[in-house]
Amino acid sequence: MRTMSNAAPSRLATVRGTLWIRRRWWLFLLTSSALLIPCFWHAEIGACDLNSHLYNAWLSQSVAQGLLPGLHFEPKHTNILVDVLLAQILPYFGAAGTERVVAGFGVLLVFWGAFALSSAAANAPPWRVAPLLAMVSYGSIFYWGFLNFYISAGFSLFALALIAGGSLWEWPLVVILFGLAAMAHPFGAACLVALGTYLAIARFVSVRSRLLLTALFLIAAFLVRWYAVYHYSVLPRSVPYFYLLGADQFIVFGPAFLAIAVAALILSLVVVLLRRRDIRRSQWLLFYLMIAITVACSPGGLYSDERFGMMGFLPDRGSLYSVVALAVLLAACRPPRWTTVAWCALAFAYFIGIYRDTGILNRRLDKVNALVAQAKPSRVIAVVPGLPGSRIREDHTVERACIGRCYVWNNYEPSTYQFRLIAEPGNHVVDMDQDALDSMTDGAYTVQPSDLPLNEIYQCGSGAMDLCLAHLNVGQRNGDVAGFIPKP
């Protein structure tokens, strides 16, 4: 049986990490700088919901000055960290600088958090899987723009690393990391509690007992699933790729990324087979399978009008932990040196694809900026889907273009009551009626006198740049414009 002992201060994980950074500061800075390149290679990062968060951070400035009656801040303790950071930084760095600061912070947090957890599993810096961790840092969660959850996951990974490889003396730091994770997003904090409990118990029990521990946790996960499905409304999955066991994080903007995801799984399987003797004695295979099975069987999301509103994209979010657990497993296997070359080649192909498609998003933003300039100061309905064939279906390019220029009438955040900025009935900034917001997407919304002046930016063709502007009149349906294509 392996038990946990009170390590000497010199063996504290935090001390070891600090010493490593001091001795390899140049490597730490070089790696961090390389990781941030995708945040700077275009004028806009291209992370979907980040545009919406930026727009609402701009609104928050006016609300704080009392310039937007009908909007107010509501005290919240979770799902607020990114919004607070954006609102505080935006006046000093502008939209482009602010998104780079916050998104870059999230990328470094997730990468080094996963790196720390992999180090705890391998008892050495896991450089051979570093290209894989870089891909994970810019996976589908990042480009969905779910930055609150993304940063919450980053804090939780650091906490899991302390639980798995640190001393009991360091466990109070887990409480601080939990607080930060909870401030960012409740799902990341919940994952920290569940996975942290598993890793903490696993350190005290024998290798054979870990199989029973994993079975018990899976049973608990399925009981939670049964309770949630029975008591709340279930949302459908967004895409059917969850049989890929975490590699779906690499399916981002289009079908071409599916080949990269499959290649990542095949390469991982080869490493596992090569090191199968070592894996049999490792807890990390069970850790990975426990997460992957739970994610694969989870509902697409949950909805409760009375308790928490909508919690969507649960498998998409959970698969971030699946792919990190896969990287941790590979690091614990001590993969052969040649796999580093393979991962570098795969990462190169992946980021070439990311560069290409985010470039298309930037050209689309230029088109939207031109359309917004025609709209002049007014309200805008945005009905713009993601790139054709993209997994990232929802697009908030119009919100980004409207910063400092117009109001997005179907801005979804203030009316959901899930964010700190709340809209009241009768305001002049955003429509509060959820049925009306849904009908705008379908092109079935009838313009009311109180909506004017109102313009619509919408998809009017099959191409990414086929966007049009229409001035709407009272009594007109927003879908009754030339070439209107509703969101899927």
Side-chain angles (χ1 to χ4, degrees), residues 178-382:
F178 170 79
L180 292 170
M183 185 179 179
H185 199 273
F187 190 59
C191 289
L192 171 55
V193 171
L195 300 179
T197 302
Y198 175 90
L199 291 178
I201 297 174
R203 291 188 62 169
F204 286 100
V205 301
S206 65
V207 174
R208 184 174 301 177
S209 298
R210 288 173 187 159
L211 184 60
L212 175 61
L213 175 66
T214 304
L216 291 175
F217 266 74
L218 281 174
I219 292 172
F222 279 101
L223 288 175
V224 170
R225 183 191 187 283
W226 172 83
Y227 178 86
V229 169
Y230 184 76
H231 288 83
Y232 307 117
S233 299
V234 176
L235 303 177
R237 292 175 178 270
S238 60
V239 288
Y241 291 134
F242 299 104
Y243 62 87
L244 290 176
L245 304 177
D248 58 285
Q249 282 294 312
F250 307 136
I251 304 173
V252 188
F253 291 113
F257 287 90
L258 177 61
I260 295 176
V262 172
L265 270 185
I266 292 174
L267 182 55
S268 300
L269 179 61
V270 169
V271 173
V272 169
L273 292 176
L274 289 174
R275 302 299 194 197
R276 58 186 179 275
R277 292 184 179 179
D278 296 330
I279 289 178
R280 291 173 184 172
R281 299 189 298 271
S282 171
Q283 67 172 334
W284 299 107
L285 177 60
L286 294 175
F287 183 70
Y288 166 62
L289 291 177
M290 178 186 69
I291 298 174
I293 292 171
T294 301
V295 171
C297 298
S298 65
L302 300 171
Y303 177 79
S304 173
D305 190 38
E306 298 179 353
R307 297 195 177 184
F308 53 80
M310 184 179 72
M311 175 67 76
F313 301 96
L314 291 181
D316 306 68
R317 300 173 196 266
S319 71
L320 177 60
Y321 287 94
S322 294
V323 73
V324 169
L326 178 61
V328 170
L329 171 63
L330 297 177
C333 293
R334 302 293 184 92
R337 292 181 180 178
W338 64 265
T339 59
T340 305
V341 178
W343 283 120
C344 285
L346 202 59
F348 179 78
Y350 180 75
F351 283 105
I352 287 294
I354 292 292
Y355 178 81
R356 177 198 62 206
D357 289 339
T358 52
I360 296 173
L361 288 176
N362 272 256
R363 292 194 295 274
R364 172 186 266 194
L365 177 62
D366 293 338
K367 177 68 177 288
V368 172
N369 279 327
L371 294 174
V372 167
Q374 298 177 36
K376 298 180 180 180
S378 67
R379 303 187 185 106
V380 174
I381 292 178

Side-chain angles (χ1 to χ4, degrees), residues 77-79 81 105 109 148 151-153 155-156 173-185 189 192:
H77 304 291
T78 188
N79 201 32
L81 183 57
F105 168 70
L109 194 66
N148 271 313
I151 287 178
S152 177
F155 284 124
S156 71
L173 293 175
V174 174
V175 178
I176 298 175
L177 291 169
F178 170 79
L180 292 170
M183 185 179 179
H185 199 273
L192 171 55

Side-chain angles (χ1 to χ4, degrees), residues 350-432:
Y350 180 75
F351 283 105
I352 287 294
I354 292 292
Y355 178 81
R356 177 198 62 206
D357 289 339
T358 52
I360 296 173
L361 288 176
N362 272 256
R363 292 194 295 274
R364 172 186 266 194
L365 177 62
D366 293 338
K367 177 68 177 288
V368 172
N369 279 327
L371 294 174
V372 167
Q374 298 177 36
K376 298 180 180 180
S378 67
R379 303 187 185 106
V380 174
I381 292 178
V383 189
V384 180
L387 295 179
S390 172
R391 179 184 180 186
I392 313 299
R393 293 183 303 177
E394 188 177 3
D395 186 86
H396 293 291
T397 304
V398 177
E399 279 90 330
R400 174 62 179 269
C402 268
I403 294 175
R405 306 162 79 177
C406 53
Y407 297 123
V408 180
W409 193 234
N410 59 338
N411 169 26
Y412 82 97
E413 288 192 19
S415 60
T416 63
Y417 296 96
Q418 294 183 350
F419 301 88
R420 70 186 192 117
L421 186 61
I422 303 296
E424 303 166 5
N427 76 86
H428 300 288
V429 177
V430 58
D431 198 313
M432 283 287 299

